[in-house]
Amino acid sequence: MTLDISTTPSAARRVRGPITSRAWRRTLAVSLSGWVVLAVGPSLLELSAPWRAFAAGLAVPGAGLLYAMPAPHHHHVGGAGFTAVHVVVLAMVIVALGWALRDRRVVASVVVVAAVAAVGWTTLSAPVALVAAAHIAGFLLVAAATGWAFMFRAIARSDHVTVPAIVVGAATAGALLTNSHGAQSFPLAWVSWAAPALAIGVTLGIVLREQLRHRSAQRVGQERERYLEQRRATLHCPILTAPIPLRRQALPLVSEASPDQLRLHRHLTRLALQPVDSWTGFDREGPGPLQQYRYQLNAVGWGLSMFGYAHTPAYWGAPHQAQLNLFTRMQDAQVWGYWYQQNLLGNWDFRHRRADPIDVPQNIMFTGYLNLQLAMFRQATGDARFDQPRSLRFQRSPEQIYTYDHPAINDIVLRNFGTDLCLWACEPVPVGRGRRNGLVFPYCNAVATAGVAVLDALNGTRHAVDIAARLRDRLDTEFTAGDGDIIAFLVSGLGLSARAFRGPASTAAIAGFVSPLLPDLAWRAWEILRDEWLDSGRYLVPASAGKESPTAGDWGSGAPTNAEPLAAALLLAQECGETEWWDTLWTEATRQLQFSPDQPQPGVWAFERASVHANGMLGLGGLGRAHALTDMMTVPRPQQWARGPRIRAVPYPAVLVAKAVTDGAGLDAVLRAGLQPQRCTVRLDQLAPHRDYQLLGAVEASVRADEYGRADLTVDVGERTVLTVRPS
């Protein structure tokens, strides 16, 4: 039985849903009221010039410096001390300009030299122009610094201290400069009311522009709905619009990995197997919010688990150790320690200074992602070691130690889905009681929901189905634009939303993680993606989808390539059963992203034009088989896999395991030589103690298990060697 959740027609969607609208109206009312007070308050209260400059600086960053510009006839203009102060201001601007152009050394050198020459000439010949230029340049510097701090500190690092500090500091500087000029007329005194008026005008302009864009998006949405109706009529099949019940009886398919899959798997395994204190091969953390170690570890882990579940559930060996290494890295403070600063500056938690990265409602990017990584690992390997109490340890200092286990982390994820918005935050914003608001990304919440679903399949619970019903409603009412695409994020508690950042590829990335829970969303996302990006041939053009939203660009490099969109399309095609398109997309990814061998490591191939994160995501979408993630989220791990024979070790990477599956009594495996044919030892475990087993594909005809259920076989491994083990 399914719960019917109808999709709101595009034409009926509002710019914002009811929850976001309430927050947006409150934000708009407070902002407009504040600017009105800043515009008329100084005049009504007959405040002095310094206070008027300060008010202007609060309304528009740096406007107080414009207010403070002295009249040309001011008696200090031309004085040595007065001129020196303004030269210092211009020098600061020149240094900032050179820093901004540091990646273009020639351009930066020319600009800096020209600016220094201009300052020198005006100092000697036109001191009045020098003073005016300093005030204007100071204003521009503050405005640029505020914009930079908003994008790269507030958005990228949840630093909600730097922007206010710049604004208040510049406003104070404007007030002090105004005061230092004494009682005189200021030619730009009108800035005191013009700055708030500008802020009001820009805000109203943004609101109007948003409405116009929404109407345009609605027209696109109507066209899409007509296309989808035609597709439904052509396919003659109903589209489910509700979470599907978990399947209990089906046995997951285990297929043989292709040579390309083995090559990429070797790359991810090699990366994860290196000593945990070395980050060689990983992308360095960058200034952007996505260029972080944690996302690389998540993606590599997801890719390895996908391979293990689809092809080698009866094999541990080196890939299993690689996964354990990833979890060790996830517990490294340099991976999760960012939360201390984000909580401090993002939540203004100056009193408690909490550093726990797990039990918080604004860090889904760590807790939710780790939960999926743990669940996929257990589903793929059967290893439940992280279910043990305190099996995960996060230590920042001898006094700050936080211990968790997988069930506890999953409980926290479930609790955080219990808000009115359902979706919870990735990064904090210091608004509201309880500090629960922040930047809410549907993509991150889809990942977290998938983690709950995989654990549901393992434990026989139905938490994800309950979440999915509310998630679908909130996605449709709060996060879906007029054209039907899901927006990149919104700021809960404030009602701000990044509605411009969206597109078919971004929506497909979200749908891929929740396809078995929200099949209507997955079908719609696939049909739109195929119509607008695939059938049109746009996917053949590099970077054609990498600019839709922050999550569409390459997370590791920030480059607007098609790496992440192709990975998302592969995953969605896999889960929708579109095998022909999957083959086409994989072929295009190998061409466009240069899937090529690593010369120092023969047999290891990677996507050279993609980051580590993108390689991992291409592994998630490319190392499995049809409906693999759906099965992980809906089918319990078979008991046969837990008690049947298993390949415990092979001499990796000299020998690669392309397939390993057990029926609870015997074992079927396919081995391939990593570089050249050779004779090797294959160790088995989970055999019945002291029992004889018949072998095919090994040098021996039979083998007897020891008292621990282990046995060693001798196998001549060639290009493709089939090994079968059967109880006598």
Side-chain angles (χ1 to χ4, degrees):
M1 180 177 180
T2 59
L3 175 66
D4 182 29
I5 304 176
S6 59
T7 303
T8 304
S10 299
R13 289 195 181 98
R14 300 185 297 175
V15 177
R16 289 177 175 82
I19 296 175
T20 312
S21 292
R22 288 195 297 270
W24 171 240
R25 287 193 295 267
R26 183 170 57 248
T27 299
L28 200 60
V30 171
S31 300
L32 292 176
S33 299
W35 286 319
V36 169
V37 169
L38 291 175
V40 303
S43 297
L44 293 177
L45 298 176
E46 298 182 350
L47 297 180
S48 61
W51 283 109
R52 293 171 186 254
F54 184 77
L58 292 182
V60 174
L65 298 175
L66 291 178
Y67 185 101
M69 184 186 299
H73 59 271
H74 190 272
H75 63 278
H76 286 307
V77 174
F82 194 84
T83 300
V85 170
H86 291 82
V87 168
V88 170
V89 173
L90 288 172
M92 294 173 59
V93 174
I94 293 172
V95 170
L97 191 59
W99 178 83
L101 297 173
R102 63 190 181 281
D103 293 334
R104 300 180 179 181
R105 295 184 178 181
V106 175
V107 176
S109 300
V110 172
V111 170
V112 169
V113 170
V116 170
V119 170
W121 181 82
T122 53
T123 301
L124 299 175
S125 305
V128 173
L130 175 75
V131 171
H135 282 267
I136 295 172
F139 162 70
L140 295 176
L141 174 62
V142 171
T146 303
W148 172 86
F150 177 76
M151 291 300 299
F152 294 100
R153 296 302 304 173
I155 299 297
R157 289 288 186 268
S158 292
D159 173 2
H160 301 297
V161 172
T162 300
V163 169
I166 291 174
V167 173
V168 174
T172 302
L176 293 175
L177 282 173
T178 303
N179 186 65
S180 68
H181 295 161
Q184 62 149 329
S185 61
F186 294 91
L188 297 183
W190 50 268
V191 168
S192 64
W193 60 263
L198 175 64
I200 293 172
V202 169
T203 301
L204 296 178
I206 291 174
V207 172
L208 176 60
R209 183 186 183 191
E210 192 175 56
Q211 291 290 338
L212 295 175
R213 285 188 168 185
H214 177 63
R215 293 181 182 180
S216 177
Q218 284 181 316
R219 290 191 289 271
V220 174
Q222 291 169 358
E223 290 293 328
R224 286 178 170 178
E225 289 302 325
R226 284 192 284 269
Y227 167 75
L228 293 174
E229 286 300 325
Q230 293 173 358
R231 289 292 296 164
R232 291 186 183 99
T234 302
L235 295 172
H236 298 292
C237 63
I239 304 303
L240 294 177
T241 57
I244 61 176
L246 300 181
R247 290 185 286 151
R248 299 294 182 190
Q249 305 301 323
L251 193 66
L253 172 69
V254 176
S255 62
E256 181 180 342
S258 70
D260 270 359
Q261 288 177 321
L262 283 169
R263 290 164 179 158
L264 180 58
H265 183 258
R266 279 194 64 182
H267 168 63
L268 300 180
T269 303
R270 180 194 60 169
L271 195 64
L273 270 178
Q274 65 181 315
V276 294
D277 58 351
S278 170
W279 292 91
T280 303
F282 286 92
D283 295 324
R284 291 184 178 181
E285 293 198 337
L290 303 177
Q291 297 169 267
Q292 308 299 319
Y293 283 143
R294 58 184 179 274
Y295 296 129
Q296 299 176 52
L297 299 177
N298 295 145
V300 172
W302 296 340
L304 291 177
S305 289
M306 177 61 73
F307 182 95
Y309 181 81
H311 308 299
T312 59
Y315 168 49
W316 272 20
H320 181 262
Q321 184 58 51
Q323 291 265 49
L324 296 179
N325 284 6
L326 292 176
F327 289 117
T328 300
R329 290 179 185 274
M330 289 296 291
Q331 297 170 72
D332 190 330
Q334 65 179 316
V335 173
W336 61 267
Y338 69 92
W339 176 250
Y340 172 79
Q341 186 176 33
Q342 282 205 0
N343 177 59
L344 183 69
L345 302 181
N347 273 329
W348 295 352
D349 187 17
F350 304 114
R351 179 181 178 184
H352 299 290
R353 300 191 176 190
R354 290 163 290 195
D356 183 353
I358 299 294
D359 194 6
V360 290
Q362 301 159 304
N363 198 18
I364 193 174
M365 56 193 173
F366 190 81
T367 309
Y369 282 46
L370 177 59
N371 196 49
L372 175 60
Q373 189 175 351
L374 288 165
M376 291 183 68
F377 168 74
R378 182 180 159 196
Q379 180 71 287
T381 66
D383 189 345
R385 70 179 63 198
F386 296 112
D387 284 4
Q388 298 300 315
R390 300 186 176 184
S391 51
L392 293 163
R393 178 185 175 93
F394 303 91
Q395 180 173 352
R396 186 172 184 271
S397 68
E399 296 77 26
Q400 294 175 302
I401 302 174
Y402 313 98
T403 56
Y404 290 96
D405 51 66
H406 187 196
I409 291 175
N410 192 66
D411 287 343
I412 292 169
V413 171
L414 291 173
R415 185 186 68 211
N416 287 339
F417 273 115
T419 63
D420 289 342
L421 191 60
C422 183
L423 290 80
W424 46 296
C426 292
E427 298 169 351
V429 170
V431 175
R433 297 178 181 177
R435 291 297 189 262
R436 302 186 64 88
N437 292 312
L439 274 63
V440 181
F441 286 78
Y443 180 91
C444 298
N445 281 267
V447 169
T449 303
V452 173
V454 176
L455 196 57
D456 278 347
L458 289 164
N459 295 340
T461 50
R462 291 175 55 87
H463 300 300
V465 171
D466 297 333
I467 292 172
R470 298 176 58 241
L471 179 69
R472 185 67 180 97
D473 178 67
R474 292 297 185 257
L475 284 176
D476 192 61
T477 58
E478 305 288 343
F479 291 87
T480 302
D483 56 9
D485 285 328
I486 298 175
I487 65 174
F489 68 91
L490 61 76
V491 185
S492 61
L494 293 178
L496 303 173
S497 59
R499 308 192 76 80
F501 296 134
R502 66 180 192 273
S506 301
T507 302
I510 296 167
F513 281 102
V514 292
S515 56
L517 296 169
L518 302 177
D520 62 320
L521 175 63
W523 179 83
R524 187 187 191 284
W526 172 254
E527 290 296 331
I528 296 299
L529 182 73
R530 187 174 68 176
D531 179 55
E532 298 183 8
W533 197 52
L534 301 180
D535 286 341
S536 65
R538 289 181 56 235
Y539 75 102
L540 300 172
V541 180
S544 57
K547 298 180 180 179
E548 288 183 0
S549 74
T551 56
D554 191 318
W555 287 32
S557 65
T561 70
N562 282 341
E564 305 282 356
L566 284 170
L570 279 166
L571 180 61
L572 189 56
Q574 170 183 292
E575 299 312 307
C576 290
E578 297 283 350
T579 54
E580 291 185 6
W581 263 115
W582 187 96
D583 290 336
T584 300
L585 288 165
W586 177 262
T587 300
E588 178 57 23
T590 61
R591 181 195 70 83
Q592 197 172 127
L593 303 173
Q594 197 174 337
F595 188 59
S596 55
D598 184 346
Q599 297 302 329
Q601 296 287 331
V604 177
W605 289 47
F607 292 95
E608 295 298 328
R609 295 178 181 173
S611 67
V612 170
H613 179 271
N615 269 271
M617 295 306 293
L618 287 160
L620 176 63
L623 293 184
R625 43 85 179 161
H627 305 294
L629 185 59
T630 295
D631 286 345
M632 294 184 88
M633 295 169 64
T634 58
V635 181
R637 195 170 200 274
Q639 290 297 316
Q640 297 94 315
W641 291 3
R643 64 173 183 264
R646 176 178 64 193
I647 299 177
R648 184 60 187 241
V650 296
Y652 185 89
V655 174
L656 308 177
V657 180
K659 180 180 179 181
V661 61
T662 177
D663 62 354
L667 172 74
D668 287 339
V670 176
L671 309 179
R672 289 183 179 271
L675 189 58
Q676 58 186 2
Q678 61 177 283
R679 175 168 289 188
C680 69
T681 299
V682 176
R683 171 158 292 183
L684 305 182
D685 67 356
Q686 293 191 167
L687 302 169
H690 304 296
R691 185 166 187 177
D692 291 327
Y693 287 82
Q694 300 299 314
L695 307 176
L696 289 176
V699 174
E700 303 90 347
S702 64
V703 69
R704 169 166 287 194
D706 64 15
E707 65 270 26
Y708 301 106
R710 298 175 305 195
D712 289 345
L713 318 178
T714 304
V715 181
D716 290 323
V717 180
E719 182 178 351
R720 182 179 183 273
T721 300
V722 177
L723 174 66
T724 61
V725 180
R726 297 291 185 270
S728 298

